Amino acid sequence: MARVIAIANQKGGVGKTTTTVNLAACLAEQKHRVLVVDMDPQGNATQGIGVDKHACENSIYNVLAEQIPCADVIVPTPFANLWVAPSHRDLVGASVELVNESRREFRLQHAIEPLLEQYDFIMIDCPPSLCLLTLNALVASYEVMIPLQCEYYPLEGLSELLHTIIVVRENLNPRLIVSGILLTMFQHTNLAKDVIHDVRTHLGTSVYETIIPRNVTLGEAPSFGTPVIHYDKRSAGALAYLALAEEVTSRG
Ligand code: ATP
Ligand code: MG
């Protein structure tokens, strides 16, 4: 059975997509079968994993809005063991289009249910808001990974996200857990060290040991549609995501 992991934080630019793409690629490199589900209308995960979102006939939009089988939209990536259910900009409208549909929060869960035996990991990249798309991701998942940037006010908005997760667990998806908080974009500054200290003090064991450094290579790789381990496998970014993949599998 697949481990279904949503990568969520309604704060923008904290490293959700970078984590989805690179953790997925590292897990695939370790011979796990991995599906990335791109729930963000921006489509950055689709592009970052080497798939042209404009060339895809169908997308996760058709799955949510028209309920076509998820298997019909999944495309292989250029990398072994790695597939993607691509995004499309039409996803922006999905929240409004579904507003009168009953059980609209369960669309993604129903769509991926038939796929659970086919993959070891299903990783869902969320958009930067607590919208219906993120809600669908949380309802479909068993775990949420929350990236936090090692910069100013990283905990801002976290209580709102944790509250949403509790509401989802109580009303829509009782098996949902926070698998961990991931510290991202770490630089060796006193501020970043203070942030790490504060986050570990407040959130304790739920924080991953692995910390993702700020690394130029991680910022460059997406413009080549390549996860960092296939772009520069010796870079600090690649080593960090490989370590995270080890930690995620060992915490299984
Ligand atoms: P959004 O909320 O818009 O979806 P996000 O949370 O998915 O953003 P990313 O797109 O992963 O965040 O990262 C934001 C930007 O920072 C991107 O340009 C990305 O390439 C860059 N970036 C992410 N992580 C790192 C890192 N560890 N080192 C350097 N650059 C990074
Ligand atoms: Mg993103």
Side-chain angles (χ1 to χ4, degrees), residues 80-147:
N81 305 318
L82 191 54
W83 291 263
V84 65
S87 160
H88 189 278
R89 60 180 144 66
D90 285 352
L91 261 184
V92 178
S95 300
V96 176
E97 288 171 41
L98 293 176
V99 76
N100 290 320
E101 300 289 330
S102 65
R103 296 181 63 79
R104 57 189 175 277
E105 302 88 352
F106 294 90
R107 293 260 167 131
L108 184 63
Q109 187 197 73
H110 287 159
I112 65 175
E113 220 153 54
L115 304 172
L116 295 176
E117 300 288 338
Q118 287 170 43
Y119 297 96
D120 301 308
F121 289 90
I122 298 178
M123 309 214 18
I124 310 174
D125 188 29
C126 294
S129 79
L130 293 174
C131 59
L132 182 64
L133 298 170
T134 297
L135 211 52
N136 262 274
L138 295 176
V139 172
S141 297
Y142 305 121
E143 306 174 34
V144 199
M145 181 182 288
I146 305 175

Side-chain angles (χ1 to χ4, degrees), residues 154-223:
L155 298 174
E156 200 180 68
L158 186 62
S159 58
E160 198 186 340
L161 175 57
L162 294 176
H163 176 73
T164 303
I165 291 167
I166 290 168
V167 172
V168 168
R169 189 188 302 138
E170 285 174 355
N171 297 286
L172 303 167
N173 177 14
R175 59 196 177 170
L176 185 66
I177 57 157
V178 176
S179 56
I181 310 279
L182 177 68
L183 291 162
T184 63
M185 303 190 208
F186 173 73
Q187 280 175 302
H188 286 278
T189 61
N190 288 334
L191 171 71
K193 286 173 195 156
D194 289 349
V195 166
I196 291 177
H197 177 79
D198 282 1
V199 171
R200 289 211 190 276
T201 309
H202 280 90
L203 302 167
T205 52
S206 57
V207 184
Y208 286 99
E209 287 295 321
T210 308
I211 294 176
I212 309 301
R214 185 171 278 285
N215 174 246
V216 184
T217 315
L218 277 174
E220 279 171 10
S223 51

Side-chain angles (χ1 to χ4, degrees), residues 16-17 40 42 44 125-126:
K16 292 180 289 295
T17 301
D40 188 344
Q42 297 178 99
N44 296 338
D125 188 29
C126 294

